[in-house]
Amino acid sequence: MNYYTFVAPCHFGLESVLSGELKRMGAENVSAIDGRVSFTGDLHLMARANLNLRTAERVLIQLGEFEAKSFTQLFDGVRALPLEEFIGRRDAFPVKGHSAKSQLHSIPDCQSIIKKAAVERLKEKYGVGWFEETGPVHQIQFMILKDQVSILLDTSGAGLHKRGYRRNSTEAPIKETLAAGILDLARVRRDTALYDPFCGSGTFLIEGALKGLNIPAGIARKFAAQSWDSIPAAVWAEERTRGLDLIRRDAKFAAYGSDIDPAAVELALENAHKAGIAQRVRIRCRDIREFRTVTDTGIVVTNPPYGERLLDQKAAREIYRLMGRAFTPRDGFSYAVISPDEEFERNFGRRASKRRKLYNGMMKCQLFTYE
Ligand SMILES: C[S@@+](CC[C@H](N)C(=O)[O-])C[C@H]1O[C@@H](n2cnc3c(N)ncnc32)[C@H](O)[C@@H]1O
């Protein structure tokens, strides 16, 4: 089977977590740059990555890289790529992308030049004058940075944060991929007792259970490249079986969630059922003032309300004070809190043992860890 270079974008700050995931699943030449990780492997690895990665946003095949300072160079560079290896004569191949710090900065112009070059290449290869584009979508993505062009093909389709278990959400849910990265940084494992006293729609609890039981994050969904003729169905079937075989139903993982809002509790329970891990989580309607643990050891991972989005900042800071009282330093327990508030530690009442910069969407946050 051929080897390819792949690129997986991720949240800023999670590159090392994603690199670790990739190495553990057999990826080679894993290399992290800002907000993405590149790696090499065969198509089995592509399917494995889509099915299992918890912190990647998508998996793209890199078709080529070249320098372009003019539209002619862009056109020639794209026309030289072996697009027909993946794109069939009836397939749809829309183009999108972005450019930064480059001479070619007009996105619509780049889009249309790349499309024209792709059409020229495929016309030559298939000997046809017109493409109906009624087949499976092969989304072409371009990234131009400092005049270096990367042409990629999106194998995932819908973003990988769409696991298939969350149809509904509360007001400010954390993205599944970011939640999974935080759980990794907080060292949630197969025997962890995980607590989230601001559980909202239950993302940390569910992602924690999927991780603890080693359930592939994408087992309940489909991927764009599953309908591509160029990839044998057996590749996906084998990787699916491999993923299912690695599930550890004997893991001791358990999660305890609570939230002051009864609607959130109901939703979190519903989502846990959809994710197939409801027997591993207990969710109660409870104010942070009544937070208590029921195990000898545990890891608390949570994103409390942010002033900007849910309550005003004063109310949010009062909650941080309550958290400081509830999350007492004691053997066997650690706490990880994500917050955009620069004043979090002062209100919580203690300096964190570690601080890590993370982005929740466009919002600059920090992960405060107390060990
Ligand atoms: C930022 S959201 C958490 C989102 C959650 N991580 C998710 O993925 O859906 C904060 C949650 O804190 C809850 N909350 C607000 N005040 C609370 C309090 N005093 N005690 C417990 N929960 C509270 C809200 O109902 C909301 O669901």
Side-chain angles (χ1 to χ4, degrees):
M1 207 173 239
N2 290 339
Y3 262 64
Y4 300 93
T5 297
F6 300 99
V7 175
C10 64
H11 276 266
F12 282 98
L14 291 184
E15 297 86 351
S16 60
V17 176
L18 175 55
S19 298
E21 282 197 86
L22 282 162
K23 284 178 193 162
R24 285 194 294 277
M25 65 177 63
E28 289 168 28
N29 303 306
V30 177
S31 159
I33 337 153
D34 276 354
R36 62 197 150 106
V37 178
S38 67
F39 57 101
T40 59
D42 61 10
L43 292 176
H44 271 277
L45 185 75
M46 180 277 297
R48 194 178 307 157
N50 270 300
L51 280 159
N52 294 280
L53 285 177
R54 301 186 193 283
T55 58
E57 297 304 314
R58 52 186 66 253
V59 177
L60 307 148
I61 301 176
Q62 182 160 299
L63 296 175
E65 258 189 320
F66 52 88
E67 190 188 67
K69 292 184 175 171
S70 68
F71 288 130
T72 310
Q73 286 173 327
L74 181 62
F75 185 93
D76 291 345
V78 174
R79 199 175 53 179
L81 300 176
L83 301 171
E84 63 284 356
E85 192 180 340
F86 293 103
I87 305 175
R89 60 188 293 173
R90 287 188 184 77
D91 293 338
F93 49 104
V95 179
K96 68 178 179 189
H98 51 261
S99 168
K101 300 176 189 158
S102 302
Q103 298 200 19
L104 300 178
H105 50 79
S106 158
I107 302 302
D109 287 341
C110 292
Q111 242 169 325
S112 89
I113 295 288
I114 292 169
K115 182 75 187 190
K116 274 191 196 133
V119 166
E120 277 312 304
R121 168 86 191 191
L122 296 169
K123 262 186 186 172
E124 245 168 60
K125 292 292 162 185
Y126 293 125
V128 294
W130 185 74
F131 292 95
E132 55 187 66
E133 298 202 42
T134 52
V137 174
H138 291 57
Q139 177 72 56
I140 296 177
Q141 282 209 17
F142 64 90
M143 288 194 295
I144 311 180
L145 182 63
K146 294 183 189 157
D147 303 320
Q148 285 299 316
V149 183
S150 289
I151 301 290
L152 309 123
L153 216 46
D154 178 10
T155 67
S156 303
L160 293 181
H161 68 282
K162 295 204 169 153
R163 317 292 208 205
Y165 64 73
R166 181 155 81 183
R167 233 171 298 146
N168 307 306
S169 68
T170 44
E171 234 177 295
I174 193 160
K175 214 166 162 190
E176 294 81 345
T177 41
L178 177 58
I182 292 172
L183 292 162
D184 195 280
L185 293 168
R187 301 205 190 93
V188 168
R189 308 261 191 271
R190 59 184 300 179
D191 55 355
T192 298
L194 173 70
Y195 292 84
D196 180 0
F198 301 97
C199 73
S201 60
T203 319
F204 279 124
L205 308 172
I206 296 168
E207 288 297 321
L210 295 177
K211 184 176 195 298
L213 274 65
N214 211 31
I215 297 173
I219 203 75
R221 56 160 281 169
K222 285 217 148 66
F223 307 94
Q226 266 180 278
S227 52
W228 296 0
D229 285 344
S230 52
I231 299 174
V235 168
W236 290 99
E238 282 165 32
E239 288 304 325
R240 205 164 267 279
T241 306
R242 180 185 178 277
L244 291 170
D245 286 348
L246 291 173
I247 294 176
R248 299 177 304 219
R249 293 276 169 209
D250 60 336
K252 290 202 187 79
F253 178 91
Y256 306 88
S258 49
D259 198 286
I260 199 167
D261 178 3
V265 171
E266 203 177 305
L267 184 58
L269 284 168
E270 197 186 306
N271 288 338
H273 274 286
K274 270 190 232 142
I277 47 79
Q279 69 283 13
R280 298 300 179 126
V281 303
R282 222 160 72 189
I283 307 173
R284 298 261 156 83
C285 189
R286 193 172 270 176
D287 190 298
I288 185 64
R289 288 176 181 83
E290 296 150 31
F291 175 72
R292 67 183 78 97
T293 55
V294 293
T295 48
D296 295 334
T297 60
I299 303 178
V300 179
V301 179
T302 196
N303 72 314
Y306 301 157
E308 299 94 310
R309 291 164 83 183
L310 286 180
L311 302 171
D312 60 49
Q313 202 172 50
K314 207 165 148 238
R317 288 182 172 170
E318 175 53 26
I319 285 181
Y320 301 159
R321 270 188 283 278
L322 295 170
M323 287 167 69
R325 260 179 254 156
F327 299 175
T328 47
R330 57 189 159 132
D331 279 349
F333 274 84
S334 64
Y335 307 96
V337 183
I338 179 166
S339 170
D341 195 336
E342 299 281 344
E343 295 288 302
F344 173 79
E345 289 167 289
R346 212 157 64 86
N347 290 286
F348 186 81
R350 294 195 297 281
R351 298 276 292 163
S353 19
K354 261 189 230 156
R355 256 164 253 106
R356 195 184 178 106
K357 222 185 283 169
L358 285 176
Y359 278 83
N360 186 359
M362 296 306 283
M363 206 191 308
K364 189 174 142 210
C365 293
Q366 288 186 86
L367 182 67
F368 300 97
T369 312
Y370 296 84
E371 281 169 353

